[in-house]
Amino acid sequence: MEFNEIKLLLEKYEEGETSLTEEKQLKEYFTSEEVPKELEIYKNTFQFAKNSKNIQLERPVTVNRNFSKYWYAGIAASILLLLSFLFFDMNTSNNIKNSELGTIEDPEQAYLKTKETLKMIAEVFNDGREDLEYLDEFNKTKDKFIKEQ
Amino acid sequence: MNHHTFLRLIDPVKDKMYRLALRLLISKEAAEDATQEVILKIWNRKNKVKDYANIEAFMISVTKNYCLDQLKSKRNNNLRITHTNYDNNELGVDRRLELKDELVQIQRIVERLPDQQKIIFQLRDVEEYEFIEIAEITKMNEPAIRVALSRARKKIKEELLKTHNYGI
């Protein structure tokens, strides 16, 4: 390219008036040919622009990061849940073992003691039931009006 | 749209997004994070993406806005320290050695441009977008873009002239 032509283009370039094609011509000229000392200042600028376009994103991009985040959270939560069940189970079975189950050595005596305790519970239940006998009165009155089939 | 289709759609644009993020945020790490974040953002709105006539311009535009937001929040918090570094005019020995590499020097000059000029320089001189496309990305009108571009180009030349004794 003619020296004068380049100078004219550069003037236009600095005013932001060049077209893309003209700018490509300039880039081509300044990055491939030996340039006169007078224009050397532009050489690096165009080289810089050209080099800048070669930079590439090295880190791979993903779009399912959100998904996997929830996925991991789900897995973590279920493991925690499972562990807590296991832990709870172990704890309670240990408790039964450790609590005093056998202060009475003789089976016969143990049987009697158990029977006595169950009887006591039954008595308490029956006490409660006696109070419920009043409810029969309700039924008697109700039966006068509503005949069961 | 499944994510394979989406990734194929994003593939030709992702380097451009990264380069713009890098131009604005300077740190490689931050630019990579920003690109990933913006791609996720677009993925979450993938049903709307189809409505845009020029998807590439839309993606670059989202990247630009995201990076500017990042810069804004950074400046509000702790960018003071880095700013004082920049204001320091006395260059250290290592800095001066570094400046011998001219391309690094241009890099520094571009870093000091206002954000808007940085964006326009990046889109026009590096990515070679047409003015109509830049207008779509930046929401500026064409004359304003030309003015900003002209200022950026002149500033780079001016700064280079300051530090070198070129025979112009």
Side-chain angles (χ1 to χ4, degrees):
Chain A
M1 235 196 265
E2 286 287 321
F3 177 72
N4 281 336
E5 208 179 323
I6 290 289
K7 269 204 108 174
L8 268 173
L9 268 185
L10 278 174
E11 259 169 51
K12 259 177 92 183
Y13 169 79
E14 277 183 9
E15 295 305 320
E17 301 292 337
T18 36
S19 71
L20 266 190
T21 346
E22 287 169 328
E23 282 169 26
K24 273 178 190 158
Q25 277 180 334
L26 280 173
K27 220 179 247 184
E28 184 70 30
Y29 173 80
F30 278 102
T31 50
S32 56
E33 289 174 50
E34 271 299 307
V35 296
K37 205 160 171 45
E38 207 183 330
L39 299 178
E40 216 162 64
I41 190 166
Y42 296 101
K43 199 179 161 78
N44 288 316
T45 317
F46 283 107
Q47 188 64 53
F48 173 76
K50 205 179 176 186
N51 288 359
S52 297
K53 214 187 173 178
N54 292 330
I55 300 168
Q56 284 181 337
L57 179 64
E58 284 153 26
R59 198 197 286 176
V61 290
T62 53
V63 287
N64 41 9
R65 199 186 67 182
N66 271 359
F67 168 73
S68 55
K69 205 162 59 179
Y70 287 124
W71 190 241
Y72 285 131
I75 291 172
S78 37
I79 289 174
L80 217 71
L81 204 70
L82 220 80
L83 278 178
S84 66
F85 273 131
L86 224 77
F87 186 70
F88 182 73
D89 204 43
M90 257 160 53
N91 243 6
T92 43
S93 53
N94 272 355
N95 274 354
I96 292 169
K97 251 183 233 165
N98 293 340
S99 63
E100 298 174 341
L101 284 175
T103 43
I104 302 164
E105 295 288 314
D106 183 23
E108 188 75 18
Q109 208 184 346
Y111 172 69
L112 286 173
K113 273 273 183 214
T114 314
K115 217 173 154 186
E116 198 180 304
T117 314
L118 289 175
K119 205 180 152 199
M120 198 186 81
I121 292 170
E123 267 167 26
V124 175
F125 263 127
N126 282 337
D127 272 358
R129 258 190 70 187
E130 269 164 31
D131 289 337
L132 290 176
E133 264 160 30
Y134 296 111
L135 283 176
D136 277 350
E137 289 299 315
F138 271 121
N139 282 342
K140 275 176 200 161
T141 325
K142 184 201 80 183
D143 288 345
K144 279 180 195 166
F145 298 100
I146 302 165
K147 289 200 173 111
E148 278 180 48
Q149 285 171 348
Chain B
M1 199 190 316
N2 69 15
H3 73 270
H4 287 295
T5 333
F6 180 77
L7 285 180
R8 223 174 302 137
L9 194 72
I10 219 115
D11 203 52
V13 197
K14 70 177 202 298
D15 287 332
K16 293 180 187 181
M17 292 163 74
Y18 171 64
R19 288 193 288 261
L20 179 64
L22 192 64
R23 177 70 63 229
L24 285 167
L25 302 175
I26 293 151
S27 140
K28 209 177 147 183
E29 203 56 7
E32 281 173 351
D33 286 347
T35 314
Q36 172 65 64
E37 213 51 49
V38 169
I39 288 173
L40 262 178
K41 259 186 174 190
I42 298 171
W43 166 250
N44 290 334
R45 279 186 282 165
K46 59 182 179 296
N47 295 328
K48 276 191 199 160
V49 168
K50 277 178 247 158
D51 302 339
Y52 289 92
N54 189 343
I55 292 175
E56 180 168 334
F58 169 71
M59 287 170 180
I60 300 286
S61 181
V62 176
T63 312
K64 182 211 77 178
N65 291 336
Y66 181 84
C67 291
L68 290 181
D69 284 348
Q70 288 288 100
L71 285 174
K72 213 187 274 169
S73 63
K74 227 184 193 174
R75 265 171 203 156
N76 288 340
N77 294 336
N78 55 3
L79 215 75
R80 277 295 117 102
I81 305 157
T82 25
H83 262 295
T84 47
N85 283 351
Y86 273 115
D87 290 338
N88 190 357
N89 286 324
E90 278 206 68
L91 301 176
V93 183
D94 48 348
R95 211 39 215 293
R96 235 178 268 171
L97 272 174
E98 196 185 352
L99 287 185
K100 274 190 179 161
D101 187 345
E102 299 230 358
L103 296 184
V104 175
Q105 193 193 349
I106 296 172
Q107 169 97 27
R108 297 253 178 275
I109 295 168
V110 176
E111 272 173 29
R112 282 192 298 258
L113 290 175
D115 288 339
Q116 192 197 53
Q117 288 179 29
K118 255 188 234 177
I119 294 165
I120 289 169
F121 172 82
Q122 177 70 18
L123 294 179
R124 181 68 178 189
D125 281 2
V126 178
E127 306 295 354
E128 295 166 351
Y129 278 115
E130 288 287 355
F131 282 117
I132 317 162
E133 291 170 303
I134 299 175
E136 205 182 327
I137 293 165
T138 56
K139 308 275 178 286
M140 288 164 71
N141 58 28
E142 226 181 285
I145 295 168
R146 284 182 195 273
V147 168
L149 184 63
S150 163
R151 279 193 192 139
R153 285 169 174 172
K154 280 179 181 162
K155 181 77 182 170
I156 294 169
K157 183 185 161 193
E158 211 176 275
E159 290 290 314
L160 277 175
L161 278 174
K162 249 188 229 169
T163 40
H164 291 261
N165 295 315
Y166 283 109
I168 297 179

